[in-house]
């Protein structure tokens, strides 16, 4: 096990369930915001609804890849 | 609206209406090990899905859901997908099925306190058992990765005989032992 993995495991052990749950949701939020920022950069004219639609399409592609 | 607002809106609705539920999937995995991002939230409820969908739609003016009935192909259980207007994060709500392990894991769910409210979560052992079972059915690497993560962080607190007995029944014991060896080596 590399030191980074060991450090991650030890960090998770030090956290409370509440802290881990909150951090998981914050990570989701950050991921979605980054993906939306990327879409807006690529399609500057896209409306808010179009950004969500494209994001949904990209998430569907991710799910397909993960299922392979 | 943040993703925690969406998840907490669902939790609050279920708590307020006394709907028996538990969080499963990656959101529940995060309670036990290294948190990771996920594309959606998964809940299991012991309730009529059509009634639940109707109540959610009528019950909140600040959160708008678009409940859609769907069928989950791997487990054969029904689910509704709660789509939040203007957001791509979906919440999937599965009906508690008749499968023996699904029934047992629902009865073994635990309550944790988070965001200053009680939240029902699948137990650590049942998360591992289900992740391994799903990895077998759906062939997803991330399920194996989640199981490895759960074992690595929580290995001293796992009821191993319980996990082993279900993995024997599901045909996932070999995979379980491999992950245990990997985590022990670490």
């Amino acid at each position: 096990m590399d030191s980074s993995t060991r450090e991650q495991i030890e960090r998770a052990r030090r956290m409370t369930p509440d802290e881990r749950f909150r951090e998981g949701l914050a990570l989701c939020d950050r991921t979605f915001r980054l993906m939306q920022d990327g879409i807006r950069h690529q399609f500057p004219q896209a409306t808010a609804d179009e950004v969500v639609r494209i994001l949904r399409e990209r998430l569907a592609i991710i799910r397909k890849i993960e299922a392979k | 609206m943040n993703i925690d607002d969406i998840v907490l809106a669902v939790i609050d609705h279920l708590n307020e209406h006394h709907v028996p539920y538990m969080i499963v999937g990656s959101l529940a995995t995060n309670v036990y090990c290294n948190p990771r991002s996920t594309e959606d939230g998964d809940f299991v409820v012991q309730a009529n899905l059509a009634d639940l969908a109707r109540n959610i739609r009528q019950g909140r003016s600040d959160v708008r859901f678009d409940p859609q009935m769907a069928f989950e192909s791997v487990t054969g259980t029904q689910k509704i997908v709660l789509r939040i207007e203007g957001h791509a994060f979906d919440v999937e709500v599965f009906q508690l099925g008749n499968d023996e392990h699904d029934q047992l894991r629902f009865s073994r769910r635990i309550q944790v306190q988070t965001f200053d409210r009680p939240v029902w979560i699948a137990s650590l052992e049942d998360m591992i058992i289900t992740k391994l079972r799903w990895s077998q059915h759906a062939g997803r690497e991330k399920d194996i990765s989640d199981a490895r993560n759960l074992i690595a962080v929580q290995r001293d607190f796992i009821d191993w005989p319980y996990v082993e007995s279900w993995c024997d029944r599901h045909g996932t014991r070999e995979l379980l032992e491999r992950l245990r060896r990997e985590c022990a080596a670490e």
Side-chain angles (χ1 to χ4, degrees), chain A residues 32-44:
Chain A
F32 273 59
R33 286 184 198 284
L34 279 170
M35 290 180 75
Q36 283 182 315
D37 287 347
I39 292 165
R40 287 193 197 97
H41 180 75
Q42 190 175 358
F43 304 103

Side-chain angles (χ1 to χ4, degrees), chain A residues 10-25:
Chain A
E10 289 304 324
R11 179 175 176 273
R13 286 176 178 162
R14 285 194 300 271
M15 294 167 76
T16 65
D18 176 43
E19 288 169 339
R20 290 190 289 255
F21 189 72
R22 285 173 186 263
E23 185 168 301
L25 289 175

